[in-house]
Amino acid sequence: MLDNKRLEIEKTIKSEQDKLSKIELAQRDIRQEKIKIHYNVSIKSIPSYQVFSLRRVVPDYYAEGLLWKEMSAFADKHNIPISNNTFSIYHDPDYKETNVDIEICAPVARTGKDTNGFTYRNTEPVPIMACTMVYGTFENIAGAYLGFASWLQEHSQYSMGEHSRQIVHRGPWNEESPDNYLTELQIPIKKI
């Protein structure tokens, strides 16, 4: 039991250290006034996560919020404890205006029975993930993807992979002003 508790605390510490790194990156961008004109890209590896997920094709990217409401209601009703470190995976190989294939994921400590479209699974680890922080409203995300495309042109040793991810660190549930939202884009890349 003590070993399990120790592992749980170590995971929490690692998660909080990751959050601190993201805040430091955001502060550096603010100091360098890069928010509106440049998106700083960092590269890291992403481990596999045991998640509780819901995958659906929805009308557009804005409909993702409905998936989160559905997951939250289902988790509350069935007493499923989910982590705050949630993320979305976009399964379409290219950008689409409509009929977007989105999977929302919430890390969990234990698995359960798959039901009503909700699934327990392990995500694939991603050895090389390009990450950038987006400040402000969700409308700024499009500019971040354009910034990433410019970064990719400058770093021609990489090509873009599939299944990008998005983590909303500060959003409608914990921030009153959309100007203060903080979203992390994670885009798989491969060495050419």
Side-chain angles (χ1 to χ4, degrees):
M1 280 177 43
L2 289 173
D3 286 342
N4 287 339
K5 188 62 176 172
R6 179 184 174 86
L7 287 173
E8 181 183 325
I9 291 170
E10 286 174 351
K11 285 181 183 178
T12 301
I13 290 170
K14 170 82 171 89
S15 173
E16 295 301 313
Q17 286 172 332
D18 288 345
K19 289 177 186 177
L20 277 174
S21 295
K22 291 169 187 163
I23 289 170
E24 288 167 359
L25 180 64
Q27 288 174 325
R28 186 172 66 233
D29 281 355
I30 290 168
R31 282 193 298 274
Q32 295 175 0
E33 298 180 349
K34 292 183 176 180
I35 294 174
K36 301 223 187 291
I37 58 169
H38 177 71
Y39 292 91
N40 189 17
V41 175
S42 62
I43 296 176
K44 60 184 174 182
S45 65
I46 304 296
S48 172
Y49 292 101
Q50 181 174 280
V51 297
F52 176 62
S53 76
L54 175 62
R55 181 176 176 181
R56 295 240 172 90
V57 174
V58 295
D60 55 35
Y61 290 100
Y62 294 102
E64 180 180 332
L66 300 174
L67 296 179
W68 287 111
K69 286 181 182 177
E70 184 179 348
M71 177 182 273
S72 179
F74 187 87
D76 287 346
K77 181 178 179 181
H78 294 88
N79 198 26
I80 300 170
I82 56 176
S83 163
N84 289 333
N85 299 320
T86 58
F87 57 94
S88 305
I89 300 175
Y90 301 98
H91 290 279
D92 295 308
D94 297 310
Y95 174 80
K96 293 174 69 177
E97 290 285 335
T98 59
N99 299 320
V100 183
D101 186 357
I102 300 175
E103 178 181 13
I104 60 171
C105 301
V108 290
R110 66 186 194 311
T111 62
K113 183 180 174 189
D114 296 350
T115 182
N116 296 340
F118 291 96
T119 305
Y120 290 91
R121 73 181 194 90
N122 288 317
T123 61
E124 293 295 320
V126 181
I128 309 173
M129 187 79 89
C131 303
T132 188
M133 303 302 279
V134 181
Y135 314 98
T137 65
F138 294 137
E139 286 80 17
N140 294 345
I141 291 173
Y145 276 107
L146 292 174
F148 173 74
S150 295
W151 180 90
L152 202 55
Q153 286 178 340
E154 294 171 14
H155 297 83
S156 58
Q157 71 269 32
Y158 296 109
S159 67
M160 186 171 159
E162 295 182 352
H163 308 298
S164 64
R165 298 182 185 188
Q166 180 176 296
I167 304 168
V168 179
H169 298 287
R170 298 198 61 76
W173 63 90
N174 62 0
E175 185 58 58
E176 288 184 25
S177 171
D179 291 336
N180 295 327
Y181 290 177
L182 179 60
T183 306
E184 179 179 357
L185 299 183
Q186 297 182 338
I187 303 166
I189 55 177
K190 302 172 190 172
K191 282 198 173 189
I192 296 176

